[in-house]
Amino acid sequence: MQGELIMTHSEPDTPRSEDRSGMDWEARFQAEDAPWERHDVHPAAIDWVNADVLKSGQSVLMPGCGRSEEPAFLARQGLEVTATDIAPSAIRWQLERFQSEKVKARAIETDALAWRPETGFDAIYEQTFLCAIHPKRREDYEAMAHASLKPGGGLLALFMQKDKWGGPPYGCSLEAMTALFPDTRWIWPESEPRVYPHPGLNDKAELAVVLIRR
Ligand SMILES: C[S@@+](CC[C@H](N)C(=O)[O-])C[C@H]1O[C@@H](n2cnc3c(N)ncnc32)[C@H](O)[C@@H]1O
């Protein structure tokens, strides 16, 4: 089935394995089984740069960065980029990319949900990471995002839409997202989200939303 992320393991019962959704991401990279990769800069990232939502001098965290183009792209725009991922080959790929593009940026191999910065970021760029983790870990994601941003910082999210049960990708409906990012902690935009179809994942819609951390 083209473009669908299929679970290659049954979901284990232990909390530790459950945290990882039973998915061996490193194995997926090594097998070149990565249909979520766009192999080009996400049009939403370009739109956010053009609109000055992301701009030179800002610090940005990119959790679950994989082998995405956006860390080097944003570093080229003059942002201070920190990318995190649990898969060693994704981090190696990013570091090699930074070197070949001669940009200064950080890539850290870690559990992105547990990692915390010393000082808050201006922005977090979320692309196919929240939909990749098990829904039971979503509250950890929200805690990470809130703790990692300065007050007034923005979570630039692309919420993956999928009606079918299961994953990854796990659907991030707006109903679920408004519950996860409550307005006591986040300011939601008044405008409707812009829709970006994902070409590698059967054109599933990604909804672009900028949430401001209170
Ligand atoms: C669907 S991929 C998306 C990668 C990238 N954001 C992109 O758009 O190409 C999900 C990524 O999350 C990473 N990941 C999964 N669980 C993680 C965790 N707990 N901490 C850090 N990275 C994790 C995987 O290694 C993989 O790179």
Side-chain angles (χ1 to χ4, degrees):
M1 209 192 319
Q2 186 251 341
E4 194 70 18
L5 298 168
I6 305 294
M7 291 288 284
T8 48
H9 299 232
S10 59
E11 290 201 345
D13 299 330
T14 61
R16 187 168 177 273
S17 303
E18 190 179 80
D19 279 357
R20 293 183 178 197
S21 299
M23 175 63 73
D24 186 341
W25 294 99
E26 178 61 21
R28 297 287 299 258
F29 285 117
Q30 291 202 13
E32 289 299 333
D33 179 15
W36 59 82
E37 291 183 347
R38 284 176 175 261
H39 304 292
D40 217 340
V41 179
H42 198 299
I46 297 172
D47 288 345
W48 278 324
V49 165
N50 288 339
D52 269 356
V53 177
L54 289 169
K55 56 186 172 204
S56 181
Q58 286 179 333
S59 56
V60 61
L61 173 65
M62 310 177 80
C65 58
R67 301 183 302 192
S68 59
E69 297 290 328
E70 291 73 17
F73 167 70
L74 292 180
R76 285 199 303 272
Q77 311 305 312
L79 285 92
E80 281 171 37
V81 171
T82 300
T84 56
D85 203 285
I86 208 162
S89 54
I91 293 302
R92 259 198 317 274
W93 189 94
Q94 292 291 353
L95 291 172
E96 283 168 13
R97 195 62 191 272
F98 299 157
Q99 213 170 20
S100 69
E101 299 228 0
K102 297 186 173 45
V103 289
K104 205 170 150 229
R106 292 197 295 171
I108 303 170
E109 185 188 322
T110 184
D111 178 348
L113 299 174
W115 186 82
R116 295 289 183 272
E118 279 174 20
T119 52
F121 286 90
D122 295 310
I124 294 177
Y125 178 80
E126 157 55 44
Q127 174 181 300
T128 55
F129 176 47
L130 181 56
C131 69
I133 59 171
H134 194 281
K136 285 184 179 167
R137 288 210 77 187
R138 285 184 175 175
E139 287 179 8
D140 294 342
Y141 185 104
E142 192 275 340
M144 173 280 291
H146 200 271
S148 301
L149 284 170
K150 302 173 173 167
L155 170 60
L156 281 59
L158 292 159
F159 292 135
M160 180 71 69
Q161 302 303 293
K162 178 187 169 192
D163 293 332
K164 234 165 79 183
W165 187 86
Y170 299 96
C172 298
S173 70
L174 278 184
E175 193 186 358
M177 296 301 99
T178 47
L180 183 65
F181 299 100
D183 63 9
T184 48
R185 284 161 65 83
W186 300 90
I187 302 169
W188 278 75
E190 283 176 12
S191 54
E192 288 295 308
R194 183 150 184 195
V195 181
Y196 296 88
H198 194 307
L201 297 175
N202 303 325
D203 280 337
K204 284 186 181 52
E206 290 181 286
L207 304 185
V209 179
V210 178
L211 299 179
I212 304 299
R213 181 228 198 264
R214 288 191 191 274

